Amino acid sequence: MNDIENKVIKVISKVLKIAVDKDTTRKNCSKWDSLKHIEIIFSIEDEFEIEFTEEEMAETDSVSSFIRKLDNEARL
């Protein structure tokens, strides 16, 4: 696991108050509702000092999608 992946998992686990992994999504996690999704977005933005567009907020609906997005940002 890389540093980005570890941080994303830690942030999302903290917000949802459960253990998550790369396979956790909004669809398979009952605690990941719309309000928690906004809280996750804000927490990720704070942790990585980035800002998501509205489109990105809608597209990032899993732990792995956050990791991919942040990996791509790191390469720019």
Side-chain angles (χ1 to χ4, degrees), residues 4 16 23-24 72:
I4 290 173
L16 297 177
D23 297 323
T24 304
N72 289 338

Side-chain angles (χ1 to χ4, degrees), residues 21-44:
D21 59 30
K22 285 175 51 173
D23 297 323
T24 304
T25 69
R26 285 183 74 179
K27 290 183 180 180
N28 69 16
C29 179
S30 62
K31 292 189 178 263
W32 193 335
D33 60 18
S34 58
L35 292 175
K36 287 296 183 186
H37 185 67
I38 298 302
E39 191 176 338
I40 289 168
I41 294 283
F42 290 155
S43 296
I44 295 282

Side-chain angles (χ1 to χ4, degrees), residues 5 8-9 12 20-26 32 61-68:
E5 185 175 329
V8 168
I9 288 172
I12 295 175
V20 300
D21 59 30
K22 285 175 51 173
D23 297 323
T24 304
T25 69
R26 285 183 74 179
W32 193 335
D61 61 353
S62 66
V63 172
S64 60
S65 64
F66 277 106
I67 293 167
R68 277 193 308 278

Side-chain angles (χ1 to χ4, degrees), residues 41-69:
I41 294 283
F42 290 155
S43 296
I44 295 282
E45 287 179 335
D46 287 346
E47 178 70 29
F48 290 92
E49 298 179 352
I50 63 164
E51 192 170 315
F52 290 103
T53 65
E54 287 182 33
E55 183 178 308
E56 289 169 332
M57 287 182 201
E59 292 172 350
T60 49
D61 61 353
S62 66
V63 172
S64 60
S65 64
F66 277 106
I67 293 167
R68 277 193 308 278
K69 169 69 179 142

